[in-house]
Amino acid sequence: MKKTLLLLLSSFLFAQEQNVDDIIIFNKGIALYDLIYSDLMIGENDSITEEDKIHNELKEEILDISINYFEELITNYPDSKLLNRAKYNIAFISHELDYLNNAKKYYKDLIETEANEDEKGGPGEGIIAEPYTLYKNRAAKALAEIYIEYEQFDSAKIYLDLTAKYPYKHFGGNEIFADEMFVDLLYSKIYWGLNEKQKAIDHSIGYIMNDGLADNTNTVNFISKIIKESYDTNEISEELKKALDKIKVIRKKDFSYAEIKIFNNSIIIPEKDSWRIFYDKDGFEMSPDAKLNEEKFNTLSLKEQLKVIFTESLFYKSLTTE
């Protein structure tokens, strides 16, 4: 979970007729949540020591109070324009705290009510804020995650299927691609849990090459894991060898790419990914002893370059190392 997923109070609400008291209550809940991720508290990714446990207990107490404020708004101001934001925030914080029954209750409520998917002002703030709240879409994905955690995969699929009815919307192609990859990864986890191994592979293997639109690390790690559990070392080695032996180069006017067939799927290897061999994921040049010789790479034929791009990918390396 990340802080930017909390639904904040959008400035447009102040321009509407709105009870000042419910705005105050809502902002109190937001302020307490923000406190958790300020410099005063431990961040999400910090290591936990014995000394930190006191801080973590305080963190939970503060988040409980934050939930209480949102619940107060729901109880006292049932007609508030902030009602659905408060419900989502309760669900999100409860999910973060592993109060999963409470999270499910509010996520389901959002799906079953008339919450407006196109309400302006989604999660995040400033220039990274999402354009729409998408209550039902976010709730459906969150419920799928919870039921996957419970290993109730049929229920998880029921909720994830709702994302077709309540689709993700954004102005940016990167964000749309990232959401599609995330949803397909959830489907892979569901089908893996249902013991439908090929479907699990099919849903996410198309994302194994990083094309720069979104970080595919989680998908690659999961797909590599289930392939290793589905095939033995010799079978994987033979599959990779056949894919490279039969690699097909497609040349277009402005770009070229390769197509390989692997684990019953056709995968695209884009030529533009070659820079990732020489630079780290943030675009900084790697040290000379940590990268291939770029000059040598440039002397290779396009077909051999595309082979190198594939063999240097996280996916390939994950399958060929213990």
Side-chain angles (χ1 to χ4, degrees), residues 117-130:
E117 288 292 90
D118 294 330
E119 183 181 323
K120 295 290 194 299
E125 50 191 321
I127 61 173
I128 64 170
E130 298 253 336

Side-chain angles (χ1 to χ4, degrees), residues 5-280:
L5 292 181
L6 197 70
L7 286 175
L8 304 178
L9 178 62
S10 293
S11 58
F12 84 97
L13 288 168
F14 289 104
Q16 302 180 15
E17 290 185 7
Q18 182 78 10
N19 189 309
V20 174
D21 291 337
D22 61 348
I23 292 177
I24 293 172
I25 293 171
F26 187 89
N27 279 334
K28 285 181 179 179
I30 293 291
L32 288 174
Y33 189 86
D34 282 344
L35 174 64
I36 295 302
Y37 297 99
S38 71
D39 292 338
L40 300 177
M41 300 298 293
I42 301 169
E44 286 181 324
N45 298 320
D46 293 341
S47 59
I48 304 301
T49 66
E50 289 297 320
E51 190 176 334
D52 292 331
K53 288 183 178 180
I54 296 175
H55 284 188
N56 283 338
E57 290 174 4
L58 178 59
K59 169 182 174 178
E60 185 170 341
E61 290 177 10
I62 292 173
L63 290 178
D64 282 336
I65 298 171
S66 178
I67 288 175
N68 290 341
Y69 277 122
F70 295 126
E71 288 177 337
E72 180 184 348
L73 186 151
I74 292 170
T75 301
N76 295 336
Y77 303 96
D79 297 324
S80 171
K81 290 182 172 64
L82 296 171
L83 188 69
N84 289 325
R85 287 176 185 268
K87 288 179 180 179
Y88 180 85
N89 287 349
I90 292 172
F92 174 79
I93 297 172
S94 296
H95 196 172
E96 186 173 348
L97 291 173
D98 286 330
Y99 303 163
L100 297 186
N101 286 333
N102 203 47
K104 287 194 298 178
K105 171 188 171 182
Y106 282 98
Y107 283 137
K108 288 179 180 179
D109 183 82
L110 287 166
I111 290 174
E112 293 163 3
T113 60
E114 296 301 317
N116 179 13
E117 288 292 90
D118 294 330
E119 183 181 323
K120 295 290 194 299
E125 50 191 321
I127 61 173
I128 64 170
E130 298 253 336
Y132 307 110
T133 50
L134 302 176
Y135 297 109
K136 297 174 190 288
N137 175 274
R138 301 184 202 285
K141 290 181 290 193
L143 284 165
E145 288 185 279
I146 290 172
Y147 281 111
I148 288 170
E149 187 172 342
Y150 282 159
E151 297 186 354
Q152 296 176 7
F153 300 106
D154 287 317
S155 295
K157 186 175 183 300
I158 288 171
Y159 283 104
L160 195 59
D161 284 347
L162 288 177
T163 59
K165 183 178 181 180
Y166 306 113
Y168 179 75
K169 300 175 185 179
H170 202 287
F171 301 124
N174 288 33
E175 288 78 7
I176 292 172
F177 178 84
D179 185 78
E180 290 173 349
M181 180 166 59
F182 175 69
V183 169
D184 275 331
L185 177 56
L186 292 181
Y187 271 118
S188 289
K189 291 179 178 180
I190 289 169
Y191 283 121
W192 183 249
L194 293 172
N195 202 33
E196 297 186 51
K197 298 180 180 180
Q198 190 58 50
K199 280 188 176 181
I201 293 171
D202 293 345
H203 263 278
S204 289
I205 198 168
Y207 301 101
I208 60 172
M209 298 303 296
N210 190 334
D211 60 5
L213 290 176
D215 185 0
N216 67 341
T217 304
N218 289 337
T219 293
V220 170
N221 288 341
F222 184 75
I223 288 299
S224 299
K225 172 180 174 291
I226 64 177
I227 287 175
K228 283 184 171 182
E229 292 179 11
S230 302
Y231 300 88
D232 64 34
T233 303
N234 290 334
E235 288 173 321
I236 292 172
S237 178
E238 183 61 25
E239 191 74 17
L240 293 172
K241 183 178 182 301
K242 284 193 301 182
L244 286 168
D245 287 345
K246 296 181 179 181
I247 190 170
K248 181 180 178 182
V249 175
I250 295 96
R251 297 176 185 270
K252 300 291 184 180
K253 181 178 179 181
D254 298 320
F255 64 94
S256 302
Y257 61 91
E259 182 179 272
I260 61 170
K261 295 188 181 299
I262 189 167
F263 299 110
N264 299 315
N265 283 270
S266 293
I267 305 300
I268 299 300
I269 305 171
E271 180 186 15
K272 66 179 182 180
D273 261 11
S274 63
W275 70 270
R276 297 179 189 285
I277 298 172
F278 311 109
Y279 299 87
D280 68 17

